[in-house]
Amino acid sequence: MRGANTYLGSIGTTIFTVMSALATEHKSINLGQGFPDTDGPDDVVQAAADALKDGRNQYPPMPGVPELRQAVANANKRFYGLDIDWATEVTVTSGATEAITACLMAVLDPGDEVVLIEPLYDTYVPVVRMLGAIPRIVRLAPPNWELPREQIAAAFGPKTKAILFNTPMNPCGKVFTLEELTFLSELILKHDTYAICDEVYEHLIFDGMKHIPLMTLPGMRDRSMRIGSAGKTFSLTGWKIGYITAAANLTPLVQKAHQNLTFTTAPNLQRGVAVGLAKDDAYFASLSTDLQARRDRLAAGLAEIGFGVLPTHGSYFITTDFAPLAARVGFNGDDVAFCRHITEYAGVTAIPVSAFYDEPGAPKHYARFAFCKRPEVLDEALARLKKHFAVR
Ligand code: PMP
Ligand code: GLN
């Protein structure tokens, strides 16, 4: 038979699926794929359960149910002071994953260039390539993941159509500062490009830092597509409800992409998320406070065992340098081998950070651990790692 799609034939199964399957196989504690081990708020789940029984189970409106689009517009105002018209500027998607693809489809033609920042989420490059566009990747360096400004400026050129970036950033927990966003906004204006802003961890931010949407900066309102995820904001990752806020000039294109991808998204889950977005400020504050305590618990334990723990200011994740520990116990494999090794022999799963790189030369001595788990689960994972790496 003739070969099917060449590009898809050349890439592997996502690392999150691979490592979760390995964790199940070895009954290890899964600190790999990022998902909480407790459900989100009861009232949100109850609202979705009630909505299943209220006789509105047919196709909801293509752009999303009005209640949720209104709730997204209100949240934009409440948290960032953005005035958004829910009817013309909000689109609901099946997860941020679909939202990223829809936004890229909305602006890219084949041959356009897209500036990306490495380490990057694993769908960015495949989708850009499948659309016939060209990734221009700039790499951040650990441990501080600062923006290499000259390289970013050099990545923008006459063919650049968009930049796609993530703040707070998976896997490294970087939170873009106002100064960095201002720098990016100047390049975006200078080169007349669009910005796709993956802000799924907007409410998972620590150390008193503030999430700043690029969309709030001068000149960015009509050029930015801002993506949120109910999975992260309400600890309901299986629901796959995402939302895009984009100006009225861009939203029709985003929606034409969405209508050709999934057309619409489960109506009861949308109604549940609308209840969630209307929750009081205390809910959103406690989400961060609670996660920050878990971050600190896992970070302290990993450091005690001998991992080099890199700072993380947002997201579900801690990046660790396992080189000092590996040297101590005589382990000399790369990050993929290390994550497999600890899954099999220590009973704890992590994600190799090289999975977040597309271009050659990725660092191979970092492992990412998720801390969105119950404290007792984090403690048990730490106890297992401690036992495994005890000086023998
Ligand atoms: N972007 C980033 C940076 C993520 O970490 C995730 C997590 N899965 C997504 C997008 C996708 O979000 P969703 O589950 O809502 O599709
Ligand atoms: N975003 C999650 C992570 O980084 C995983 C999402 C997925 O499995 N596709 O772990």
Side-chain angles (χ1 to χ4, degrees):
M1 214 175 340
R2 298 181 62 167
N5 182 268
T6 318
Y7 178 64
L8 290 179
S10 76
I11 64 175
T13 300
T14 168
I15 191 70
F16 307 116
T17 296
V18 170
M19 294 313 293
S20 282
L22 204 67
T24 305
E25 185 187 333
H26 293 281
K27 298 190 172 53
S28 78
I29 298 178
N30 192 353
L31 304 187
Q33 189 179 28
F35 58 90
D37 59 355
T38 44
D39 277 353
D42 271 352
D43 52 350
V44 175
V45 174
Q46 190 60 52
D50 293 345
L52 271 182
K53 288 287 194 184
D54 73 2
R56 290 187 290 175
N57 286 300
Q58 309 311 325
Y59 293 128
M62 180 274 277
V65 301
E67 302 93 294
L68 179 52
R69 284 187 287 150
Q70 283 157 5
V72 170
N74 292 343
N76 271 301
K77 181 72 181 171
R78 167 159 54 140
F79 294 111
Y80 311 117
L82 284 165
D83 286 303
I84 302 295
D85 175 16
W86 71 268
T88 59
E89 300 187 310
V90 178
T91 308
V92 178
T93 57
S94 295
T97 307
E98 186 203 340
I100 291 161
T101 300
C103 290
L104 288 166
M105 289 173 83
V107 295
L108 295 182
D109 284 316
D112 286 343
E113 294 183 4
V114 183
V115 175
L116 300 171
I117 297 176
E118 236 176 15
L120 36 69
Y121 190 57
D122 75 339
T123 70
Y124 294 179
V125 170
V127 175
V128 168
R129 291 223 169 95
M130 284 190 281
L131 293 172
I134 300 154
R136 287 278 172 248
I137 301 176
V138 180
R139 184 169 292 181
L140 306 186
N144 293 324
W145 314 102
E146 274 153 31
L147 285 191
R149 299 197 180 195
E150 274 175 31
Q151 289 170 39
I152 293 190
F156 277 80
K159 291 189 177 166
T160 309
K161 184 65 89 54
I163 176 169
L164 161 56
F165 71 100
N166 173 219
T167 181
M169 198 168 166
N170 177 8
C172 61
K174 174 186 174 68
V175 173
F176 282 63
T177 63
L178 179 60
E179 209 201 346
E180 290 172 322
L181 293 167
T182 302
F183 167 76
L184 292 180
S185 74
E186 284 162 2
L187 287 172
I188 289 162
L189 286 174
K190 180 172 165 203
H191 294 274
D192 186 19
T193 68
Y194 295 102
I196 300 165
C197 307
D198 179 346
E199 301 179 20
V200 298
Y201 299 106
E202 62 188 315
H203 293 295
L204 313 184
I205 190 160
F206 317 126
D207 310 316
M209 294 186 90
K210 281 253 167 291
H211 173 68
I212 306 170
L214 180 78
M215 190 177 241
T216 58
L217 270 65
M220 293 298 106
R221 175 70 170 78
D222 293 344
R223 292 174 180 275
S224 309
M225 285 154 273
R226 193 177 101 68
I227 298 170
S229 167
K232 318 293 178 197
T233 300
F234 302 107
S235 306
L236 294 162
T237 59
W239 282 21
K240 298 295 288 183
I241 302 287
Y243 21 89
I244 304 165
T245 305
N249 59 320
L250 281 168
T251 289
L253 289 151
V254 168
Q255 292 183 354
K256 283 181 209 172
H258 169 62
Q259 76 187 11
N260 286 297
L261 285 165
T262 58
F263 177 65
T264 191
T265 298
N268 68 309
L269 301 181
Q270 293 194 51
R271 294 201 174 95
V273 174
V275 169
L277 282 174
K279 285 175 85 67
D280 59 12
D281 291 352
Y283 167 77
F284 294 89
S286 69
L287 191 65
S288 284
T289 321
D290 180 49
L291 261 177
Q292 180 172 322
R294 295 173 197 218
R295 174 201 66 176
D296 293 344
R297 192 181 198 105
L298 186 64
L302 291 170
E304 195 191 320
I305 292 163
F307 286 90
V309 176
L310 278 63
T312 185
H313 302 294
S315 83
Y316 284 150
F317 309 112
I318 294 180
T319 294
T320 61
D321 181 354
F322 60 81
L325 190 60
R328 205 174 79 199
V329 299
F331 178 91
N332 55 18
D334 65 8
D335 58 345
V336 175
F338 182 81
C339 291
R340 284 183 169 269
H341 174 87
I342 59 173
T343 300
E344 285 182 39
Y345 299 105
V348 178
T349 298
I351 298 286
V353 169
S354 61
F356 296 84
Y357 290 78
D358 180 70
E359 303 207 321
K364 302 267 184 179
H365 54 100
Y366 294 104
R368 188 198 80 174
F369 291 88
F371 50 82
C372 47
K373 307 290 176 186
R374 284 166 292 149
E376 60 271 29
V377 173
L378 298 176
D379 289 348
E380 173 60 20
L382 288 167
R384 290 183 184 191
L385 288 167
K386 191 169 185 174
K387 185 164 168 229
H388 180 75
F389 288 111
V391 184
R392 277 166 283 185

